[in-house]
Amino acid sequence: MTPLEVAVELGQALLLVLISPLMYGLVSKFKALMQRRVGPSILQPYRDLRKLFSRNEVTSKDCSWLFRGIPYVCMASMLVLALVVPFIFTGVLAPFGDLVTVVYIFTLYRFTMVLGGLEGGSTFGGMGSSRELMMSVLIEPALLISIATIAVMSGAGTDMGSVSEAIVRMGLAAVSPALILAAASFLITLLAENARIPFDNPTTHLELTMVHEAMILEYSGRGLAMMELSSMMRLTIFMAMMSSLFLPWGIAYEPDPMSLSVSLIVTLAKMLLMAFVLALAESILCKTRLFKTPNLLTVSFTLSLLAMISLYIL
C-alpha cells in the first residue's frame, strides 16, 4: 500500500472508533422518538464513557488477573477489526481483512466476554455466559455462510476490500435473491451478536432477561468503560460490514479526494439509515423468551443457507 492509502485507512479506522458512541446514541434517540419520548441526547454515550474512564475500578477479591485483562483484550480485538473493515475506502491496512479471520476475531471477543462473566464469580455472570454460549452455537454458522455467499458471488476471494469493490463494479447485476437472503440473515445475526431486541434488552438489568449485561455486571470504572466502548464499536463495525459488503455502492476504491468525499457522505447516510432501521426493529419487536431465541437464529441460518444454494440454482 502507498503512504496515502495507509493514511486513509488509519483515518477511516479512527473515524469508525470515534463515531461508535454516536451511533449507539442515535439508535437510542430514534427508539425514544418512535415511542414518543424525549430520550437522552445522542452525545450521552460520550458523557458516560468520560465518567467511567475517570473513576477507579473496584473488583472482587475472588477475581484473578484474567478478569482485569479481559477489557483490554476486548478493546484490542475491536481496534483490529476497525483497521481491517472497509468503511469509506476498500483498502486494507493489514493482511487480516479476510472474512473468515474477522468472524474468528468476533469469536475471540465473545469468548473473552464469557470468561469475564465467569471470572467475576457472580451468579448472574455465569448465567449470562451460559446464555451467550447457547446462542453462539447458531450465530457463527449463519454469519459464516452469509458472508461466504457474498464472497462466492463476488468471485474476489475472501478479502473484504476486494469483495466490496467487486460488488460495486457489478452494479445492479449484484442485486439478486442470494444478496437479499444473505443480507436478511446478516441483519438477524447483527441483532443477536450485539444483544439487541428480540434476543436481549440492552437497557435492562433484570436477571431473567440479561445476557450481555450479566457478563459485564462485575466491572466498574475503566474496565467497564472499555467493555462498553468495545460493545459500541462491535455494533458500529457490524453496521459498517453491512454497508460495505451488502450495500457497497458509493464506497471509494481509489484514494482520491473526490471519491473519498462522496464515499464519506454516502456511508454516513447509510449508517444513519441502519440506525433508524435498528431502532424501528426494536420498537416493533418484543424481547422473546430465552428458549425461543434458537428459533430466530435457526431462521437466520436457514436464510444464509438458502442464499448460498440460490447462487447455484438461479
Side-chain angles (χ1 to χ4, degrees):
M1 296 182 69
T2 65
L4 178 59
E5 290 176 334
V6 172
V8 172
E9 178 63 27
L10 289 174
Q12 76 169 359
L14 179 62
L15 178 63
L16 197 60
V17 174
L18 292 177
I19 70 169
S20 294
L22 179 63
M23 298 308 301
Y24 197 87
L26 281 171
V27 173
S28 299
K29 189 66 173 180
F30 282 143
K31 187 176 176 180
L33 293 175
M34 290 176 187
Q35 297 172 358
R36 296 189 177 184
R37 297 185 289 110
V38 175
S41 167
I42 60 174
L43 301 179
Q44 187 61 42
Y46 293 101
R47 301 189 184 109
D48 293 339
L49 290 173
R50 183 185 61 182
K51 179 180 66 175
L52 290 173
F53 272 116
S54 64
R55 292 189 174 181
N56 296 325
E57 295 184 65
V58 178
T59 56
S60 169
K61 63 179 181 180
D62 298 320
C63 297
S64 68
W65 60 269
L66 185 61
F67 179 82
R68 298 178 180 88
I70 281 172
Y72 296 93
V73 177
C74 291
M75 192 69 194
S77 62
M78 291 300 104
L79 288 175
V80 171
L81 286 179
L83 286 170
V84 301
V85 171
F87 185 47
I88 61 174
F89 177 54
T90 58
V92 176
L93 180 64
F96 303 110
D98 185 88
L99 286 166
V100 178
T101 304
V102 167
V103 173
Y104 280 106
I105 294 177
F106 280 125
T107 303
L108 171 65
Y109 176 88
R110 183 186 302 112
F111 177 72
T112 52
M113 282 199 66
V114 168
L115 282 182
L118 295 174
E119 277 291 316
S122 68
T123 304
F124 290 161
M127 182 174 60
S129 298
S130 174
R131 293 172 176 178
E132 180 72 13
L133 288 177
M134 181 192 72
M135 292 193 295
S136 69
V137 173
L138 289 174
I139 290 175
E140 291 178 15
L143 181 59
L144 274 171
I145 297 177
S146 63
I147 61 178
T149 301
I150 296 298
V152 173
M153 185 176 70
S154 67
T158 56
D159 178 73
M160 284 192 292
S162 301
V163 170
S164 181
E165 182 177 344
I167 294 178
V168 170
R169 293 184 184 277
M170 289 171 65
L172 293 178
V175 181
S176 61
L179 180 68
I180 296 172
L181 290 171
S185 173
F186 189 86
L187 182 59
I188 297 174
T189 305
L190 183 153
L191 295 173
E193 185 79 14
N194 291 278
R196 312 294 300 194
I197 292 175
F199 299 95
D200 190 18
N201 189 347
T203 61
T204 184
H205 283 81
L206 180 63
E207 64 271 16
L208 295 177
T209 62
M210 285 193 298
V211 179
H212 175 268
E213 292 296 325
M215 292 185 289
I216 65 173
L217 202 60
E218 296 300 315
Y219 284 97
S220 61
R222 189 180 299 105
L224 179 58
M226 285 191 287
M227 296 296 281
E228 292 285 5
L229 179 56
S230 61
S231 178
M232 295 174 189
M233 289 175 60
R234 179 171 62 164
L235 175 62
T236 308
I237 288 170
F238 261 95
M239 294 169 70
M241 290 178 64
M242 185 78 179
S243 171
S244 61
L245 295 177
F246 298 93
L247 299 169
W249 296 278
I251 194 170
Y253 46 86
E254 295 293 339
D256 60 272
M258 180 59 71
S259 298
L260 292 174
S261 300
V262 172
S263 176
L264 178 61
I265 295 172
V266 173
T267 300
L268 292 179
K270 287 189 288 187
M271 297 288 283
L272 189 64
L273 176 61
M274 282 186 282
F276 178 82
V277 171
L278 187 59
L280 180 63
E282 293 196 358
S283 296
I284 62 178
L285 298 175
C286 61
K287 171 70 173 66
T288 60
R289 294 178 59 187
L290 177 65
F291 293 108
K292 287 189 176 182
T293 53
N295 297 337
L296 297 174
L297 294 172
T298 302
V299 171
S300 175
F301 176 75
T302 304
L303 289 173
S304 63
L305 196 59
L306 289 174
M308 179 63 77
I309 294 173
S310 68
L311 284 176
Y312 298 99
I313 65 176
L314 296 179

